[in-house]
Amino acid sequence: MIPSRPLLNADRVRFAGDLVAMVVAETREQARDAADRVVVDLDQHPAVTNVDAARQPGAALVHEDFGTNVAYQSTRTWGDVAAAFDRPHRVVHARLRNQRLAGVPIEPRGVLAEASRWEPVLTVWSSTQIPHGVRDELAAFLSMPQTDVRVIAPEVGGGFGAKLSLYPEELLVAWAARRLLRPVKWVEERSEHMQATTHGRGQLHDAELAVEADGRIRGLRVRLTADLGAYPMGVGLGPLTRRLLCGCYRVPALQVDIESVYTNTTPIAAYRGAGRPEAIFLIERMVDLAARELGMDPVEFRRRNLLPRFETPVTTIAGENYDSGDYPAALERVLENADYRGLRRRQDEARAQGRLIGIGVASYVEMAGFGPSGDLFESAVVRVNPDGAVTVVTGTSPHGQGHETAWAQLVALELGVNPDWITVRHGDTALLAAGTGTFGSRSAAVGGTAVHLAARDVQEKARRIAAHMLEAAPADIVVRDGSWHVRGVQGRAVGFRDIAQVAYGEGRPADMEAGLEATRYFQPPGLVFPFGAHLAVVEIDPDTGALTLERYLSVDDCGRVINPLLAEGQVHGGLAQGIAQALYEEVAYGPDGELLTGNLTTYLVPTAPDLPSFSLDRTVTPSPVNPLGVKGIGESATIGSTPAVVNAVVDALAPLGVREIDPPCTPEKIWNAMLASRSR
Amino acid sequence: MPVTDKVPVHLLVNGEAYEVMVPPYKTLLEVLREDLGLTGTKHGCELGECSMCGVLVDGKPYLSCLAMPLDLQQAEISTVEGLANGNEPHPLQRAFAELGAAQCGYCTPAMLLTAKSLLDSNPRPSREAIRQALAGVLCRCTGYLKIFEAVELAAARSSTSPPAAHV
């Protein structure tokens, strides 16, 4: 049973940020004044704000009629786990925590709805990553045909998963606009964002890794507890984490117990990586801990366990079909770029002088490009006007990724059109019957492929027109340098604009309809698995616990790269957020359910001086599951960087006997860890 | 005076003189966006934490969400709309576009103006000076690196002197 979330809560407030009333007014000032006059008479009940408290016998119940705070439980076993843990050389134990994070797109959420007085038409502008999903839900909620609900996601100021859910405000504002026949607008304030917009991560892992004396992994057992917050977004992200727990390694036996638990906190949903950073954090910390217990260099431990290079899919014990990968190559590349052996030498010298230098490595793999299920397709239209200008309509919904540039590049390549003549339109449900949106590093692999296929279809028809114009066979037409030639014949060529003119005018083949456009829906046959290796160097001040991130190097492999500048931008931003999880950010609640990090002075988004210069590199291992060979790059760097930095912090503190430190590794936590070690 | 009463306010924005009738409690951010139609300046936290609303007042970065227009009637206010020279983008705008220093773009107006203020007083700033100057303007997309590089590129194009080693 999944409890439903009321739009407005008259009876019971389950988290600070639950909605209790809506005020509609002529001006913002009036609305604020009126909201101040709403008196909410609350009786205070006990709250549970973390998963340990929520699971205690007799704990306060978030949903009383549900009878327990445990919403979902599962145990899955693959391979012979009992044998793997039957007298192995060593079992490494750890309790690892992925703290709760907030998305904090710099533009808060906003919704504007306008119902026409004359037609049964509703237009909703929403700062969302999924305009078609919002349209579908609104149409169902308001019992309107989808064609009468138009959702527009204009230029959206960042998302990071926080704009991936349908929110009560979207339904309420649309409802009010229809009821009042006046435009109604709501824009979130930053403090409302911190309270009411979905959070991310919030997982607790009790993990055991069984290893041989030579470092080979025998098996992994994980008890995963996922904090759902007060209302469920499906069964939470635990099952997604489970699918990636083997990371880049051969793991012959795996057991994963999942509990998803309600707490009196903001609902947890996607945040950059969404379930996958948690998996890689777990396995990369366990690998480092195991190497340390065996007295082995963590890089050597990885070398002994990494899956070897593969160009066609391999299936992990958990049943995931990794599409292609070369994990050893990425690892060796980052080690070479960093001069790993030199770094270790300098670390030894520094330690001899009492300095605390740490080197952290992480090998990661990511699961992206969702698909492949039936409803996770992506749509594209490539439409050519009679003057040769091209419109591309995409079902992806970019909010900073640069799809306008990348999709125009894909089309320019197929049609020999100057990108200035290509307009990419997105985020408008009036332009496409269906679309999925932008999340989970899916846009290039699924949406880019749909654009590519539509451009190919247009190219096919254009080729027939060009062949007819040039009196050649279609197979002999080649597109080169912006014009369409007959292969091997000098000077016989037409431009794309000539072809477009013929497509709508005189001179077409007799059996050909007018027009030059194509619509495609691409559903990928499988997921893509970007991967890479990251390396961080930190120095910790032994007197204060203050940390400096001295160097950061990444090697990321997202298959073929459409646009290196855009890909780099995604890596930079991903690194910033992954490093922020390692060092700065955490959503915190008081025991009574009060949010303690309700603004940007308490929730520490990194500022310009907080981050190091990054040194980026890449390997290229094409994906076999789409014709472009692309994977995805939106979340990769976030996934690799949190464990790399935490591994570096623990490595720096290793001489003091510190074995574990939960992110964010703040100076205070580091200081306390140092104090505890000194008192031992 | 009832709070709904409007008062005349004279503002000099991007070199143009404006006279508007606004309630006295309206912030500069609100007046710029709602009364002058200059929506390049963005709403952020309205607490002075994020600088999305950053403009220049007499050439210095200023948080328009915390500024009262009545206090600024003698000042020269610059917003992102005033950066370009007709159709010719400002060197900072060109460098930001070329290097991919904007992703979602929401922080870009404040970033550009803050960087302009820096370059106006320090034409060849060091990387460290750029990092410090932009410290107040949050960006969630770029990790800042391409922004630093864009400021350096714009500085290099506009100046013949080498970058300072310090400050």
Side-chain angles (χ1 to χ4, degrees):
Chain A
M1 184 189 93
I2 294 182
S4 65
R5 178 175 181 180
L7 291 180
L8 295 173
N9 293 269
D11 300 330
R12 193 178 178 89
V13 174
R14 294 187 175 81
F15 73 100
D18 234 347
L19 307 184
V20 293
M22 172 167 69
V23 170
V24 182
E26 293 278 341
T27 68
R28 199 178 171 207
E29 292 77 19
Q30 276 180 2
R32 277 189 167 158
D33 288 347
D36 283 345
R37 294 196 187 186
V38 175
V39 177
V40 182
D41 185 12
L42 288 173
D43 299 324
Q44 191 162 345
H45 293 278
V48 286
T49 57
N50 64 67
V51 294
D52 285 330
R55 276 189 303 200
Q56 293 292 320
L61 294 177
V62 179
H63 297 277
E64 280 196 316
D65 46 1
F66 192 54
T68 168
N69 288 324
V70 178
Y72 169 84
Q73 250 178 334
S74 94
T75 292
R76 295 284 302 271
T77 302
W78 293 274
D80 193 342
V81 176
F85 281 85
D86 181 24
R87 280 165 292 165
H89 176 70
R90 194 174 280 265
V91 177
V92 182
H93 300 263
R95 174 165 250 223
L96 300 162
R97 203 177 285 274
N98 252 268
Q99 77 269 35
R100 177 185 281 257
L101 300 174
V104 198
I106 290 297
E107 176 199 50
R109 289 185 294 130
V111 189
L112 165 63
E114 182 172 28
S116 166
R117 198 174 275 270
W118 317 113
E119 299 172 289
V121 176
L122 176 72
T123 308
V124 178
W125 289 261
S126 182
S127 184
T128 180
Q129 298 172 228
I130 47 160
H132 280 91
V134 173
R135 178 206 60 187
D136 296 354
E137 297 281 350
L138 276 172
F141 174 67
L142 299 168
S143 302
M144 295 172 72
Q146 291 181 352
T147 42
D148 286 348
V149 180
R150 180 181 181 190
V151 174
I152 298 172
E155 299 307 317
V156 168
F160 314 115
K163 297 175 182 172
L164 175 52
S165 302
L166 178 85
Y167 282 93
E169 292 90 347
E170 285 165 316
L171 300 177
L172 290 167
V173 167
W175 174 85
R178 268 192 107 202
R179 171 108 180 185
L180 299 169
L181 292 177
R182 299 275 305 272
V184 176
K185 180 171 85 165
W186 169 79
V187 177
E188 181 183 64
E189 296 183 350
R190 182 54 71 192
S191 57
E192 292 171 328
H193 176 85
M194 301 310 289
Q195 285 192 326
T197 295
T198 57
H199 293 161
R201 312 276 193 273
Q203 284 190 14
L204 179 64
H205 304 145
D206 292 293
E208 298 171 287
L209 188 71
V211 292
E212 305 277 18
D214 63 2
R216 271 178 302 145
I217 295 172
R218 285 177 62 160
L220 174 66
R221 273 201 299 235
V222 179
R223 187 163 160 241
L224 185 163
T225 311
D227 186 349
L228 292 174
Y231 299 100
M233 318 297 287
V235 293
L237 294 164
L240 198 54
T241 301
R242 177 176 63 202
R243 294 170 62 179
L244 202 60
L245 276 175
C246 297
C248 304
Y249 307 103
R250 273 181 305 247
V251 177
L254 175 68
Q255 178 178 332
V256 187
D257 303 337
I258 298 179
E259 276 193 352
S260 303
V261 179
Y262 293 124
T263 56
N264 292 110
T265 59
T266 303
I268 294 242
Y271 170 62
R272 205 168 193 163
R276 292 151 290 156
E278 294 90 323
I280 298 301
F281 183 78
L282 182 149
I283 189 70
E284 287 304 297
R285 284 294 303 130
M286 294 307 288
V287 160
D288 255 40
L289 284 166
R292 184 157 150 192
E293 292 198 12
L294 295 173
M296 193 181 285
D297 184 293
V299 162
E300 186 52 35
F301 187 96
R302 285 178 172 80
R303 284 183 181 130
R304 292 183 187 189
N305 287 287
L306 285 176
L307 292 166
R309 172 186 170 82
F310 56 101
E311 286 167 21
T312 53
V314 301
T315 306
T316 69
I317 192 147
E320 287 308 317
N321 294 309
Y322 287 7
D323 62 337
S324 63
D326 193 346
Y327 309 142
L331 178 62
E332 298 306 327
R333 178 75 69 91
V334 83
L335 297 175
E336 186 187 323
N337 291 351
D339 180 20
Y340 182 69
R341 270 195 280 180
L343 278 178
R344 285 288 181 205
R345 211 165 41 240
R346 285 194 289 282
Q347 181 186 37
D348 288 342
E349 292 162 11
R351 280 179 175 169
Q353 300 160 13
R355 287 166 63 200
L356 299 174
I357 305 248
I359 303 162
V361 174
S363 288
Y364 74 88
V365 60
E366 179 195 353
M367 176 169 40
F370 305 92
S373 64
D375 58 346
L376 287 173
F377 53 80
E378 201 48 274
S379 51
V381 173
V382 173
R383 180 182 296 140
V384 184
N385 275 37
D387 67 352
V390 182
T391 303
V392 180
V393 188
T394 175
T396 65
S397 197
H399 34 282
Q401 293 86 348
H403 298 175
E404 298 88 339
T405 305
W407 296 180
Q409 264 181 265
L410 292 174
V411 173
L413 194 69
E414 297 302 326
L415 303 184
V417 184
N418 183 331
D420 288 347
W421 277 65
I422 301 173
T423 304
V424 176
R425 301 194 60 189
H426 59 80
D428 185 346
T429 63
L431 303 177
L432 277 171
T436 303
T438 288
F439 53 89
S441 305
R442 70 186 300 277
S443 293
V446 191
T449 300
V451 169
H452 167 78
L453 294 175
R456 274 291 169 95
D457 287 355
V458 169
Q459 189 203 57
E460 256 339 283
K461 185 167 182 183
R463 178 188 300 280
R464 285 172 55 210
I465 296 172
H468 188 71
M469 292 167 76
L470 295 168
E471 297 174 342
D476 290 335
I477 302 293
V478 286
V479 188
R480 202 176 55 234
D481 302 332
S483 61
W484 296 57
H485 300 259
V486 180
R487 192 191 311 274
V489 183
Q490 277 295 339
R492 283 179 67 195
V494 290
F496 186 71
R497 294 168 71 171
D498 306 321
I499 296 170
Q501 198 177 10
V502 170
Y504 293 94
E506 294 296 328
R508 282 193 306 281
D511 60 345
M512 185 184 278
E513 277 181 22
L516 193 54
E517 62 179 85
T519 301
R520 290 298 294 262
Y521 284 74
F522 178 64
Q523 183 190 330
L527 294 171
V528 292
F529 290 80
F531 63 92
H534 287 196
L535 189 147
V537 181
V538 303
E539 177 155 13
I540 291 168
D541 182 337
D543 294 326
T544 64
L547 179 143
T548 313
L549 184 49
E550 296 283 353
R551 289 182 71 193
Y552 200 95
L553 297 96
S554 76
V555 172
D556 300 287
D557 191 320
C558 60
R560 289 217 174 85
V561 176
I562 297 171
N563 182 309
L565 187 78
L566 295 174
E568 272 177 31
Q570 289 299 306
V571 173
H572 286 178
L575 289 175
Q577 290 181 348
I579 292 168
Q581 178 175 6
L583 298 180
Y584 304 121
E585 296 180 15
E586 177 168 32
V587 174
Y589 285 91
D592 58 354
E594 186 196 354
L595 179 66
L596 303 178
T597 47
N599 55 40
L600 297 176
T601 47
T602 47
Y603 189 84
L604 299 183
V605 169
T607 68
D610 292 331
L611 298 167
S613 282
F614 313 120
S615 162
L616 271 51
D617 198 356
R618 73 169 74 91
T619 57
V620 177
T621 309
S623 173
V625 305
N626 63 65
L628 295 172
V630 300
K631 295 195 171 188
I633 194 65
E635 299 159 300
S636 299
T638 310
I639 294 171
S641 53
T642 309
V645 173
V646 175
N647 282 345
V649 174
V650 177
D651 186 55
L653 300 174
L656 305 177
V658 174
R659 184 177 179 275
E660 193 50 67
I661 186 160
D662 286 330
C665 304
T666 58
E668 182 190 359
K669 275 195 205 160
I670 292 171
W671 172 247
N672 284 327
M674 291 194 299
L675 274 190
S677 73
R678 279 171 194 152
S679 66
R680 268 202 293 270
Chain B
M1 184 176 69
V3 289
T4 48
D5 274 7
K6 293 182 176 181
V7 297
V9 176
H10 299 264
L11 292 172
L12 185 64
V13 183
N14 301 328
E16 276 189 56
Y18 294 87
E19 182 181 351
V20 286
M21 295 293 293
V22 296
Y25 54 79
K26 258 187 137 172
T27 64
L28 178 61
L29 172 65
E30 291 165 332
V31 171
L32 288 172
R33 290 180 57 88
E34 294 162 20
D35 298 284
L36 305 189
L38 298 173
T39 53
T41 308
K42 302 301 180 197
H43 271 277
C45 63
E46 294 176 278
L47 295 166
E49 293 172 348
C50 71
S51 296
M52 287 312 100
C53 63
V55 298
L56 300 184
V57 171
D58 295 329
K60 298 285 177 225
Y62 214 85
L63 298 179
S64 67
C65 76
L66 301 179
M68 304 316 284
L70 280 171
D71 296 338
L72 297 170
Q73 299 194 92
Q74 309 303 321
E76 223 173 278
I77 297 165
S78 309
T79 70
V80 71
E81 287 89 348
L83 266 186
N85 180 8
N87 286 330
E88 183 57 35
H90 188 276
L92 277 164
Q93 290 173 308
R94 202 147 52 88
F96 268 57
E98 285 175 16
L99 298 190
Q103 286 189 32
C104 84
Y106 204 74
C107 73
T108 309
M111 278 295 178
L112 286 167
L113 291 166
T114 310
K116 177 181 186 297
S117 172
L118 170 69
L119 295 188
D120 286 347
S121 63
N122 181 358
R124 291 306 299 271
S126 66
R127 173 66 63 92
E128 192 48 34
I130 298 169
R131 289 157 69 99
Q132 293 304 328
L134 300 179
V137 190
L138 289 185
C139 171
R140 191 63 159 160
C141 295
T142 65
Y144 301 102
L145 188 51
K146 286 179 183 291
I147 293 174
F148 303 152
E149 290 169 357
V151 175
E152 286 164 353
L153 178 62
R157 282 174 175 166
S158 313
S159 163
T160 48
S161 58
H166 301 288
V167 183

